[in-house]
Amino acid sequence: MTYEMPKLPYANDGLEPVISQATIDYHYGKHLQTNALVPGTEFEGKSVEEIVATAPDGGIFNNAGQVLNHTLYFLQFTPQPNKHEPSGKLAEAIKRDFGSFDNFKKEMNNASTTLFGSGWTWLSVDKDGKLHITKEANGSNPWRHGLKPLLGFDVWEHAYYLDYQNRRADHINKLWEIIDWDIVEKRM
Ligand code: MN
């Protein structure tokens, strides 16, 4: 079994001006690869989620984490969102656990701008339905800690440097405009 990035459900220039075509060409293209480390190991046939949850630190874990992270990342965006905040169960959980949608955004933005070095910020849900914001170093993912990821911001410089240089906060602020909340709600 190999793991491949999904086809993008939008054109490479579809997320402009929030994310430029050049960044998508580079960022998505760069990760459009199969995981060659898995065949012949004990992880063959396992899902990327299982591998991320159980593999020891090292190449297989890093590779599976980046495939999983970027799959969740690229599929959570849309050129034309039909709404700019979640509804239903997710909206209720955000209100309960963060006070308001605005405060949740503030906490996601803050986690993203204060993450030192390369990594990811995630909104996740635990087995009791409670929401969490976590910062993950490098290629890790909330599955590593038994949490199910719903929404992830890639804060490696490669995700924004071409468009925003070192202005990570500006990039994160703009990402809210292209989130497909229907997709994020379905992940709950
Ligand atoms: Mn990336």
Side-chain angles (χ1 to χ4, degrees):
M1 182 180 176
T2 54
Y3 304 101
E4 292 179 30
M5 291 293 294
K7 290 250 181 302
L8 291 180
Y10 42 80
N12 282 23
D13 63 357
L15 302 180
E16 290 190 348
V18 178
I19 303 176
S20 71
Q21 174 170 359
T23 291
I24 293 287
D25 286 349
Y26 167 75
H27 193 190
Y28 172 75
K30 181 167 108 79
H31 292 288
L32 188 63
Q33 56 190 340
T34 54
N35 184 342
L37 292 175
V38 168
T41 74
E42 62 184 296
F43 298 104
E44 189 160 6
K46 295 200 171 162
S47 68
V48 279
E49 290 86 352
E50 275 180 281
I51 296 172
V52 167
T54 60
D57 287 338
I60 290 176
F61 165 67
N62 290 339
N63 223 340
Q66 286 293 69
V67 169
L68 175 59
N69 290 349
H70 288 94
T71 298
L72 291 164
Y73 178 78
F74 287 115
L75 295 183
Q76 77 195 2
F77 297 129
T78 179
Q80 286 180 312
N82 59 27
K83 58 191 176 195
H84 287 284
E85 53 183 274
S87 55
K89 220 170 65 171
L90 178 58
E92 287 165 28
I94 285 175
K95 192 157 185 236
R96 182 195 63 211
D97 295 335
F98 300 103
S100 67
F101 181 67
D102 280 348
N103 192 54
F104 156 69
K105 273 171 72 174
K106 218 166 85 184
E107 291 194 25
M108 269 301 272
N109 289 345
N110 188 46
S112 301
T113 49
T114 58
L115 191 153
F116 183 72
S118 297
W120 292 75
T121 309
W122 292 97
L123 170 69
S124 309
V125 62
D126 67 22
K127 58 180 178 12
D128 299 320
K130 185 174 168 22
L131 300 175
H132 302 267
I133 291 173
T134 58
K135 297 190 238 188
E136 302 285 339
N138 302 315
S140 192
N141 180 283
W143 282 115
R144 198 78 174 151
H145 330 289
L147 298 168
K148 186 183 190 186
L150 305 177
L151 175 73
F153 290 166
D154 186 343
V155 299
W156 287 58
E157 279 193 341
H158 67 229
Y160 59 87
Y161 203 85
L162 284 178
D163 303 333
Y164 298 85
Q165 289 72 53
N166 62 347
R167 301 188 307 276
R168 186 194 283 179
D170 291 353
H171 167 68
I172 297 297
N173 267 325
K174 296 292 280 181
L175 284 183
W176 297 104
E177 295 174 14
I178 53 169
I179 293 169
D180 188 337
W181 287 107
D182 294 331
I183 295 279
V184 177
E185 286 168 21
K186 281 192 197 121
R187 291 175 179 169
M188 257 194 110

